[in-house]
Structures are given as structure tokens and as C-alpha cells.
């Protein structure tokens, strides 16, 4: 955790608070140490940025969750549009 906090320029307490809010739930080593994925570190960095801009931590976590859900919906939509286009050759002439 100390290394992750150092990399992000935050305190270990900040990372623990993200665990408490359930924004990121790191894996645990056999010794109980938190292990963060690159994706979790990106979320923590986004949370830090929002908090530094004056957003409350709970609100920052909600914003990040909504951003993640929107990105996933956009990926699904793009995939469905590609699938639809590949099944309907008349779409190519439009």
C-alpha cells in the first residue's frame, strides 16, 4: 500500500478510504497486504484528482462509478451496432 500511495501522491489513509467506500477492493497477499491492479490505481488517481478539485470523496466515488458504467454502455452499444451492421448488408449502402 505504501508504494501505491507514493506512486499516486496520496496517503495510505486515502487508499484505505477508497477501500472503505468500496470504490476499489484490492486483493490481499497471504500476509494481508493490499495488492492493487493497474486499473484500481487508475481509479484511485481519478478519485485523487476529483478530491483535489474540491469534490467530496463520496461524490468522487459515485462520479467514477457512473463514468465507468457509461464507458461500458458505450462499448456494448458500439459492439451491438457493429453486429447489426454485419448482419444487415443494406446498412453498407446507407
Amino acid at each position: 500500500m505504501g508504494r501505491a500511495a507514493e506512486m499516486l501522491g496520496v496517503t495510505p489513509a486515502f487508499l484505505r478510504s477508497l477501500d472503505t467506500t468500496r470504490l476499489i477492493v484490492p486483493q490481499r497477499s497471504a500476509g494481508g497486504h493490499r495488492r492493487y491492479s493497474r486499473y484500481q490505481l487508475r481509479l484511485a488517481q481519478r478519485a485523487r484528482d476529483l478530491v483535489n478539485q474540491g469534490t467530496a470523496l463520496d461524490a468522487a466515488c459515485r462520479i467514477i462509478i457512473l463514468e465507468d458504467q457509461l464507458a461500458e454502455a458505450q462499448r456494448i452499444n458500439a459492439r451491438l451496432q457493429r453486429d447489426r451492421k454485419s448482419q444487415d448488408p443494406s446498412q453498407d449502402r446507407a
Side-chain angles (χ1 to χ4, degrees):
M1 173 187 285
R3 178 72 179 120
E6 182 182 314
M7 286 171 46
L8 296 172
V10 299
T11 64
F14 180 80
L15 289 177
R16 280 191 295 277
S17 69
L18 296 179
D19 194 357
T20 301
T21 62
R22 312 289 292 171
L23 176 65
I24 55 175
V25 180
Q27 296 292 317
R28 297 283 184 145
S29 70
H33 297 281
R34 289 174 173 88
R35 303 285 184 195
Y36 297 96
S37 69
R38 287 186 178 124
Y39 175 72
Q40 289 172 327
L41 292 175
R42 282 194 303 271
L43 292 179
Q45 183 173 4
R46 177 73 176 127
R48 183 207 62 202
D49 293 345
L50 288 168
V51 169
N52 285 348
Q53 293 171 10
T55 305
L57 181 61
D58 286 344
C61 292
R62 185 68 182 139
I63 288 168
I64 293 165
I65 290 166
L66 291 171
E67 288 174 341
D68 198 47
Q69 289 173 344
L70 176 60
E72 179 64 15
Q74 289 171 331
R75 282 190 294 272
I76 291 168
N77 187 30
R79 188 186 74 235
L80 291 172
Q81 287 180 1
R82 280 192 309 272
D83 291 349
R84 182 175 172 208
K85 212 173 192 179
S86 68
Q87 291 174 0
D88 185 3
S90 67
Q91 291 289 325
D92 291 334
R93 288 183 247 141

